[in-house]
Amino acid sequence: MPSLTSHDSDARLKALAAQRWRIALTLTAVMIAIYFGFIALIAYDRPLLATLVAPGLTLGILLGALVIVVSWLLTYGYVRWANTRYDPALRALDVVGPNAGQSR
């Protein structure tokens, strides 16, 4: 494999960092919108959240649980992306050495 010049490697590292930043901001924005949307429903439409979906289960409880589940799914999606795309791309740039993260 041909070696990368410092300039090429630096440009690819900056592009990779920018991609990671965009993904992090997107996931953060999605989570903030979901969370504050739920809080706004609590504040402004309590009767809607009091609607029974099933005996003993209101829409508010269901939506609250979904907020938690969506946060887990977003975290899973980010970790999967980082493990399958970001980390291999970083290793390909040889920025992270083979013993990085391991105790000596």
Side-chain angles (χ1 to χ4, degrees):
M1 175 198 247
S3 64
L4 293 172
T5 65
S6 176
H7 178 67
D8 291 339
S9 179
D10 189 47
R12 289 178 58 196
L13 181 59
K14 284 183 181 180
L16 188 59
Q19 182 182 20
R20 180 175 162 264
W21 187 242
R22 279 190 307 272
I23 288 174
L25 285 179
T26 301
L27 292 175
T28 300
V30 168
M31 193 61 231
I32 286 173
I34 290 170
Y35 179 75
F36 284 109
F38 178 65
I39 296 300
L41 274 175
I42 292 171
Y44 297 110
D45 203 356
R46 282 193 178 194
L48 174 68
L49 295 178
T51 305
L52 282 176
V53 176
L57 178 65
T58 64
L59 185 59
I61 296 296
L62 181 61
L63 290 177
L66 284 175
V67 167
I68 294 168
V69 170
V70 167
S71 71
W72 291 343
L73 292 174
L74 290 175
T75 301
Y76 171 77
Y78 177 78
V79 169
R80 183 171 169 92
W81 172 83
N83 288 339
T84 60
R85 308 247 175 138
Y86 179 75
D87 289 344
L90 199 58
R91 278 193 288 279
L93 289 174
D94 199 27
V95 172
V96 178
N99 295 327
Q102 297 177 359
S103 61
R104 295 177 190 236

